[in-house]
Amino acid sequence: MTPTDHEEALRSRGLRVTATRLAVLGAVADHPHATVETILGDVRARLGTASTQAVYDVLAALTQAELLHRIEPAGHPARYERRVGDNHHHLVCRTCGTVTDVDCSVGHAPCLRPTDDHGFTVEEAEVIYWGLCASCQQQPATTAAHSR
Ligand SMILES: [Zn+2]
Ligand SMILES: [Zn+2]
């Protein structure tokens, strides 16, 4: 994605193009599933300076505008990604917190149906598959147990 793509994305949502918004979109595009900490570092590298609050505000606005997707695995910091609107799911490692994309299990959103929808119109299903990533599985079990 080029800076021009980010500008068009902002305009398509009726958002003003600002240096901070472009930097945040660029940071998240370059670091899929980035934490706020990573995004802050990258935005500061791009702009020279940016306040934490400004970056949080932009993240909230872009998430609301559906230009970013926010994932919140329980017990791990929130992460942001630019891949929006395709109802993909995530694998999350319990040990190191690595997040990996996986496509929908079946067909289009919602790819999963509740056994009873209680009258809801279901639009989306967001699945987190918890487990251990390939590299954490390589660690001796004792090390993993003690690092908790
Ligand atoms: Zn891991
Ligand atoms: Zn993802």
Side-chain angles (χ1 to χ4, degrees):
M1 260 177 270
T2 66
T4 317
D5 293 329
H6 298 318
E7 286 187 32
E8 276 169 18
L10 288 168
R11 290 204 182 94
S12 76
R13 300 289 169 164
L15 294 175
R16 216 155 43 83
V17 175
T18 68
T20 313
R21 285 173 177 169
L22 287 178
V24 168
L25 285 173
V28 176
D30 285 355
H31 308 279
H33 312 123
T35 59
V36 173
E37 202 182 334
T38 304
I39 295 165
L40 259 175
D42 195 286
V43 166
R44 286 186 177 140
R46 285 164 197 261
L47 298 180
T49 170
S51 78
T52 306
Q53 191 56 52
V55 169
Y56 270 103
D57 289 349
V58 167
L59 284 170
L62 297 183
T63 303
Q64 174 136 39
E66 295 177 353
L67 291 176
L68 295 181
H69 181 222
R70 180 184 157 102
I71 323 153
E72 297 174 76
H76 292 269
R79 290 167 181 269
Y80 293 85
E81 66 183 345
R82 197 58 188 93
R83 186 174 165 183
V84 291
D86 69 348
N87 196 215
H88 72 280
H89 303 302
H90 294 99
L91 290 154
V92 180
C93 176
R94 286 189 194 282
T95 302
C96 69
T98 281
V99 177
T100 303
D101 283 341
V102 278
D103 290 336
C104 250
S105 308
V106 251
H108 300 289
C111 62
L112 304 171
R113 300 264 168 201
T115 50
D116 180 351
D117 65 19
H118 296 272
F120 276 57
T121 303
V122 177
E123 295 164 347
E124 190 181 348
E126 190 173 349
V127 175
I128 291 183
Y129 300 95
W130 290 95
L132 285 186
C133 72
S135 102
C136 287
Q137 287 174 53
Q138 304 291 314
Q139 308 288 326
T142 48
T143 317
H146 286 300
S147 69
R148 299 225 163 187

